[in-house]
Amino acid sequence: MFRGLMHSALGGRHVADPVHLSHRPSDSRNRRRRGPRHSLLARTRLPVLRRLLARPCRRAAGAAGAAVAVCAAAAGCAPGAGGRPDEDLGGGEASLALPDLSAARVGGVDGRVLLAVGVVICLVGLGFGLVTFLQMRRLPAHRSMLEVAELIYSTCQAYLVRQGRFLLILWVFITAVIVLYYKALVGFGWGRVGIVIAFSLLGMAGSYLVAWFGIRVNTFANARTAYAALPGMPYPVHRIPLRSGMSIGMVLISLELLMMLIILLLVPAQVAGACFIGFAIGESLGASALRIAGGIFTKIADIGADLMKIVFKIDEDDPRNPGVIADCTGDNAGDSVGPSADGFETYGVTGVALVTFVLLAVDDPGLQATLLVWLFSVRAAMIVAAWAAYALNSAWTRHRYARAERMNFEMPLSTLVWLTSVLCIALTYLTTWVVLGAYGPGLWLRLATIVTCGTAAGALIPELVKVFTSTRSRHVRETVKSSRQGGASLNILSGVVAGNFSAYWLGMTVVGLMTAAYLLGSHGLAQHMLAPSVFSFGLVAFGFLGTGPVTIAVDSYGPVTDNAQSVYELSRIERIDGIDDALRAETGIEPRWERAKLLLEDNDGAGNTFKATAKPVLIGTAVVGATTMIFSIIIGLTDHLTTGIDRLSLLHAPFLLGLVTGGAVVFWFSGASIQAVTTGANRAVSFIRGSIHLDSDAERASVEDSRRVVEICTQYAQQGMLTIFLAVFFATLAFAFAEPYFFIGYLVSIAVFGLYQAIYMANAGGAWDNAKKVVEVDLHMKGTALHDASVVGDTVGDPFKDTSSVALNPIIKFTTLFGLLAVELAVSLTEQGAGRLVTGLSVVFLLLSVFFVHRSFYAMRTTGAAGEELDSGEDEGPEPDEGHEAPPRGQDLRARSTEHVAGSGARRERARA
């Protein structure tokens, strides 16, 4: 069934049957073969750019360009090489070669010049982000707030350092797989293998660095936002979080696009495929680890801190609670590190998927080059649109709200999203006409309209999400009303209703826009490419990402507003002797303390809403983009859609079984990630309740106790992430080795099930979160039974929206991307007469996956009095951390609170020490 696959996802060979393999004679132009491999697509490949490294602009690349040239030479791709390697290589996307981009002529201008303009735009975008970063650092803040912000950053820094070491361990593991596959099986030279490895490290480092940049910007912005609230005016409280978010968004998108343009412009054409696949693998690895671990970390800390409000009847950000600093760290680890790495990977992998499609499905080399130039020109134009929209929206917001006493914090964010979408659509049509106008309106108009479908989705989906998660939405108000009558039980049920309804409306919206893209593509693109509907779906994902910098900006708005509220409370600025007179004398500020707290809480509600709006955009992109990557497998299995189509049918049992299996894995993943949160939160709550000091003269928790809670969160986040990652990794290998069409069904299934599961969980969690905010801000009912019920609902929603739902996005993409290599590996072994070995390995990998699935519950069980009384006596949960006793069994939390309040000098002295 496999033919002509050297440059497809399944490598260069023909397989007549998954078990019985046969081969056609190789093309006479193939100078040498390694084994039975050959390539039908080799006949359409263009000569390499012979003067690629000799151009003057190459000298300007400096050390980076020199390093690329050395790697290229080691790979046997020195300048002057022919259009194909001297031998046909397997290896899927790693063997793809770019066409001559100079063949794309736009009004007589070389296509490479347009891409060079894109490089300039990316550099300007990076400059904008860095300048904003420096301006943020210079904004004023009170020293008491700066101390808290720097403590938060120091714990974030410690978390990131540990995560960096952990990522390197995972990278070494993946590198071993890359070497085994590309060197031992495919037969790549060490130079080409080194390129895949080097760019995988570059992709992972990109995810990691943008995550670090995001945390540093956010921890600058949180103290400045808290300080800006003191005069009681809403506009500064809005402006600072949005500026910091826009800084992150511009740096993230510009850096990702710059890296891909460097591959297009500076890397020899023969090794570009190896660069792209390595880059995508590294991005996916970094995003998966940081997103899963960050989601677990933040919700362990959040639940540990929130439950103290019910147990001890204290404020959310009471400084005496050692879990508050961990909660602030988690806001950054889960709501900044995770989305930053996830967004970086989403943009990169979607781009790699579209490049792969163009090279596989388009026969005309000139059109290939033009489409590639068009894709990256549109991306660069979208960065310009985002910057222009931000500038226009900032001017309008300043004019309307600069002196206003009241402000709807959600309004400027909504107008920013819509304005960016409108400008992106306008520049998409303009850029597409300029680049593709020579091919007639049948091509450029259709492609621009298809991209517009995705861009429109990027604006419509946030509006739909607000219907279910905004503090002003009827679903959130219904959740509050239910809590009045039925307590936590009806609160939770109303949140479930909101999540389920949101899955329907968002799902139907995505289906409608994809249908429009399908209709546009199926009637006008078939003459230019294979499977135009797949390309249409990929362009919808591409359009989804059109508002990229703004999507990241409004998502990053949330952790800043959340931290700002915490920094204000933790600083205890109101209690500083003579603070009112000092502020008047030094800054001219007349502090309005109660008004400042109200503004920070109200702004946090807007942050919660727009954190929720970004989640479906990213998960929707993952699902739609995965369709394009799955095509790389299908085109190989069906010999470019000419044979074996009947196996992509419910009548083919393995395909149907794959569809069923994917749903099982999605639901296990949801449970396993929540179980990791539950176990870690149990341990964190145990430590907090044993170390919290509520004596009448206690001021704040000790730094040592706060750091200890951070360590607990990090420990359980890494343990849970590793277990889940290994289960997913071995499941991918097992199902790819089982049967190729089974694996296609599995990939389709995890995408579809994952889409609806993620939307449901994200928006249910958003409804619970803002229902609590309504009770606290609008109703002013903290400390009441209604507030307790809303807090319980929020703690249920926390892992829903910030752990399981968001982590499904990188898991879908990692499984799809890594699955391409796994299928190639399985087919190669089968072709070499090792069918029994493949079957045996599938069974072994499945057993390993089931082992880690088993551990994801039984090695992560909670400990404590209730659990031990019901248990059979078997201790399967993690041991308490060394040096810290577990709390006494059966001790009631409220009794513990009374004991603390009664006064304990010894504990107070220990806290001060």
Side-chain angles (χ1 to χ4, degrees):
M1 190 67 62
F2 295 76
R3 299 180 194 167
L5 304 179
M6 186 185 80
H7 302 299
S8 74
L10 299 181
R13 57 195 164 279
H14 166 69
V15 181
D17 185 86
V19 178
H20 305 288
L21 306 165
S22 62
H23 312 282
R24 289 194 215 169
S26 64
D27 192 298
S28 60
R29 290 176 293 180
N30 292 339
R31 303 176 187 176
R32 190 154 52 96
R33 289 188 300 166
R34 180 170 296 173
R37 301 173 184 268
H38 73 285
S39 173
L40 297 179
L41 288 179
R43 288 178 283 204
T44 65
R45 290 178 59 184
L46 287 173
V48 71
L49 305 176
R50 301 177 186 278
R51 298 188 301 275
L52 193 61
L53 296 178
R55 292 181 179 271
C57 65
R58 199 54 21 89
R59 299 188 184 98
V68 170
V70 171
C71 290
C77 300
R84 297 177 299 276
D86 288 345
E87 56 187 352
D88 284 332
L89 299 173
E93 281 87 344
S95 295
L96 289 173
L98 292 175
D100 184 353
L101 298 178
S102 298
R105 310 295 296 183
V106 181
V109 178
D110 190 332
R112 296 174 61 83
V113 174
L114 288 181
L115 296 182
V117 172
V119 171
V120 173
I121 292 173
C122 291
L123 293 176
V124 172
L126 288 172
F128 170 83
L130 293 175
V131 168
T132 305
F133 168 81
L134 294 175
Q135 292 174 343
M136 190 71 58
R137 187 170 61 178
R138 290 196 294 266
L139 289 176
H142 193 268
R143 65 178 181 275
S144 63
M145 295 176 172
L146 291 176
E147 289 172 0
V148 175
E150 287 306 308
L151 176 58
I152 293 170
Y153 176 65
S154 68
T155 56
C156 291
Q157 194 175 27
Y159 166 78
L160 275 177
V161 169
R162 291 188 63 173
Q163 284 297 92
R165 294 171 184 162
F166 200 62
L167 274 175
L168 285 176
I169 295 173
L170 291 179
W171 178 75
V172 170
F173 180 68
I174 294 296
T175 297
V177 176
I178 291 173
V179 172
L180 175 66
Y181 171 60
Y182 284 116
K183 180 62 180 174
L185 180 64
V186 178
F188 279 2
W190 280 114
R192 190 180 291 264
V193 174
I195 286 175
V196 177
I197 294 173
F199 274 84
S200 70
L201 181 60
L202 184 64
M204 188 180 73
S207 293
Y208 184 72
L209 290 175
V210 296
W212 196 298
F213 178 80
I215 273 190
R216 181 68 276 193
V217 172
N218 285 349
T219 49
F220 277 149
N222 57 16
R224 277 74 179 176
T225 303
Y227 183 76
L230 296 183
M233 303 297 286
Y235 173 68
V237 178
H238 157 82
R239 181 174 58 92
I240 294 174
L242 186 56
R243 286 179 64 189
S244 67
M246 199 66 193
S247 172
I248 297 169
M250 291 296 284
V251 167
L252 186 152
I253 303 303
S254 298
L255 180 62
E256 184 276 329
L257 181 56
L258 179 63
M259 287 181 172
M260 299 196 75
L261 287 173
I262 287 174
I263 295 175
L264 287 172
L265 292 174
L266 302 186
V267 172
Q270 292 102 324
V271 296
C275 296
F276 277 127
I277 194 67
F279 187 62
I281 289 173
E283 287 180 306
S284 291
L285 176 64
S288 298
L290 291 172
R291 193 54 141 156
I292 296 172
I296 295 172
F297 180 107
T298 183
K299 294 305 109 179
I300 291 174
D302 201 354
I303 292 173
D306 279 356
L307 288 180
M308 297 304 106
K309 294 188 293 186
I310 299 176
V311 173
F312 296 119
K313 297 298 181 183
I314 58 178
D315 292 337
E316 180 172 2
D317 298 308
D318 193 306
R320 297 169 295 179
N321 182 353
V324 173
I325 292 295
D327 187 15
C328 294
T329 304
D331 288 336
N332 290 286
D335 295 334
S336 181
V337 170
S340 296
D342 190 5
F344 188 83
E345 181 247 4
T346 297
Y347 283 78
V349 172
T350 303
V352 170
L354 286 171
V355 169
T356 302
F357 180 93
V358 169
L359 296 179
L360 290 175
V362 178
D363 291 331
D364 180 9
L367 182 57
Q368 281 185 357
T370 305
L371 286 174
L372 291 179
V373 170
W374 167 68
L375 285 171
F376 288 94
S377 297
V378 171
R379 278 201 164 184
M382 288 175 171
I383 293 178
V384 174
W387 177 85
Y390 170 71
L392 292 173
N393 188 71
S394 296
W396 171 80
T397 305
R398 183 170 57 251
H399 173 74
R400 180 171 179 179
Y401 293 110
R403 292 182 174 84
E405 280 285 331
R406 299 183 61 82
M407 178 178 180
N408 179 353
F409 287 108
E410 292 184 7
M411 179 63 72
L413 301 176
S414 296
T415 56
L416 176 60
V417 171
W418 277 102
L419 183 57
T420 307
S421 299
V422 170
L423 291 180
C424 279
I425 290 171
L427 285 182
T428 295
Y429 276 101
L430 177 62
T431 306
T432 307
W433 173 72
V434 169
V435 178
L436 297 175
Y439 288 89
L443 182 62
W444 78 263
L445 189 58
R446 287 180 184 275
L447 291 182
T449 306
I450 292 169
V451 173
T452 296
C453 290
T455 307
L460 288 173
I461 286 178
E463 292 300 316
L464 288 173
V465 170
K466 287 194 291 184
V467 170
F468 303 97
T469 63
S470 171
T471 53
R472 295 167 175 80
S473 76
R474 292 187 178 182
H475 278 276
V476 170
R477 300 283 172 169
E478 178 73 11
T479 304
V480 175
K481 291 178 184 178
S482 298
S483 305
R484 284 184 182 275
Q485 304 301 322
S489 298
L490 294 188
N491 174 283
I492 291 171
L493 290 176
S494 292
V496 168
V497 170
N500 284 321
F501 270 77
S502 71
Y504 171 82
W505 288 111
L506 269 68
M508 294 299 288
T509 301
V510 171
V511 169
L513 292 168
M514 290 180 69
T515 301
Y518 161 74
L519 294 174
L520 286 167
S522 61
H523 293 92
L525 301 181
Q527 59 182 319
H528 300 290
M529 63 189 67
L530 289 173
S533 60
V534 176
F535 190 50
S536 298
F537 294 154
L539 291 180
V540 170
F542 182 80
F544 257 106
L545 303 175
T547 59
V550 168
T551 299
I552 299 298
V554 298
D555 188 48
S556 299
Y557 190 92
V560 175
T561 59
D562 199 347
N563 265 200
Q565 188 178 359
S566 300
V567 167
Y568 181 94
E569 296 291 346
L570 291 170
S571 69
R572 281 299 196 243
I573 187 172
E574 297 175 67
R575 300 190 179 186
I576 298 175
D577 291 336
I579 184 62
D580 294 73
D581 294 334
L583 287 173
R584 293 189 198 99
E586 296 173 10
T587 65
I589 292 176
E590 182 68 40
R592 299 163 65 186
W593 304 112
E594 292 303 319
R595 171 72 174 166
K597 287 188 283 187
L598 181 64
L599 287 175
L600 291 172
E601 288 185 330
D602 193 15
N603 198 25
D604 187 28
N608 290 338
T609 300
F610 278 85
K611 279 192 298 183
T613 63
K615 294 179 177 70
V617 172
L618 292 176
I619 187 63
T621 303
V623 171
V624 179
T627 306
T628 311
M629 288 191 280
I630 294 170
F631 172 77
S632 296
I633 300 177
I634 294 176
I635 194 175
L637 290 172
T638 61
D639 190 12
H640 287 205
L641 309 181
T642 59
T643 62
I645 298 296
D646 57 309
R647 297 193 178 189
L648 295 171
S649 164
L650 297 181
L651 299 178
H652 184 57
F655 180 76
L656 175 60
L657 293 174
L659 291 175
V660 176
T661 305
V665 171
V666 166
F667 278 87
W668 157 76
F669 176 83
S670 302
S673 52
I674 293 177
Q675 176 65 14
V677 172
T678 303
T679 307
N682 176 75
R683 180 70 189 100
V685 168
S686 297
F687 178 82
I688 292 169
R689 80 187 189 203
S691 58
I692 193 170
H693 307 286
L694 301 179
D695 308 80
S696 57
D697 57 345
E699 286 292 329
R700 62 179 69 246
S702 69
V703 173
E704 179 187 352
D705 284 346
S706 296
R707 291 186 183 276
R708 184 59 193 151
V709 178
V710 173
E711 291 175 7
I712 292 171
C713 296
T714 305
Q715 171 193 343
Y716 281 87
Q718 291 187 339
Q719 181 179 345
M721 186 275 290
L722 181 61
T723 303
I724 292 170
F725 180 83
L726 290 176
V728 171
F729 177 79
F730 286 115
T732 302
L733 289 176
F735 299 146
F737 275 48
E739 209 266 359
Y741 291 94
F742 173 91
F743 190 60
I744 292 176
Y746 171 71
L747 293 179
V748 172
S749 181
I750 63 170
V752 175
F753 276 93
L755 172 68
Y756 288 102
Q757 179 78 338
I759 291 175
Y760 154 68
M761 299 183 84
N763 291 330
W768 285 316
D769 194 357
N770 269 346
K772 181 193 73 172
K773 192 62 62 177
V774 168
V775 172
E776 294 175 343
V777 178
D778 295 353
L779 303 180
H780 305 286
M781 295 183 67
K782 289 184 178 181
T784 65
L786 175 60
H787 186 232
D788 289 351
S790 66
V791 169
V792 171
D794 182 38
T795 55
V796 174
D798 280 337
F800 268 48
K801 64 184 176 65
D802 290 325
T803 305
S804 295
S805 67
V806 294
L808 281 166
N809 178 20
I811 286 298
I812 290 170
K813 287 179 291 186
F814 176 82
T815 300
T816 306
L817 186 63
F818 193 74
L820 297 176
L821 305 182
V823 169
E824 161 74 4
L825 179 61
V827 171
S828 299
L829 291 173
T830 302
E831 183 179 272
Q832 296 171 17
R836 291 185 178 179
L837 174 63
V838 170
T839 303
L841 287 174
S842 177
V843 173
V844 171
F845 291 142
L846 180 60
L847 291 176
L848 286 171
S849 177
V850 171
F851 169 76
F852 286 108
V853 168
H854 181 272
R855 281 187 60 82
S856 67
F857 175 73
Y858 286 100
M860 298 292 292
R861 297 175 69 182
T862 58
T863 58
E868 290 171 359
E869 288 169 6
L870 295 175
D871 243 341
S872 59
E874 185 179 356
D875 183 13
E876 296 169 311
E879 291 293 332
D881 302 306
E882 186 178 353
H884 295 272
E885 282 189 20
R889 299 184 180 184
Q891 185 170 13
D892 179 76
L893 292 182
R894 294 189 184 275
R896 187 80 174 203
S897 175
T898 303
E899 176 188 334
H900 278 289
V901 175
S904 57
R907 284 197 306 276
R908 184 166 61 254
E909 291 300 320
R910 185 171 69 250
R912 289 174 178 171

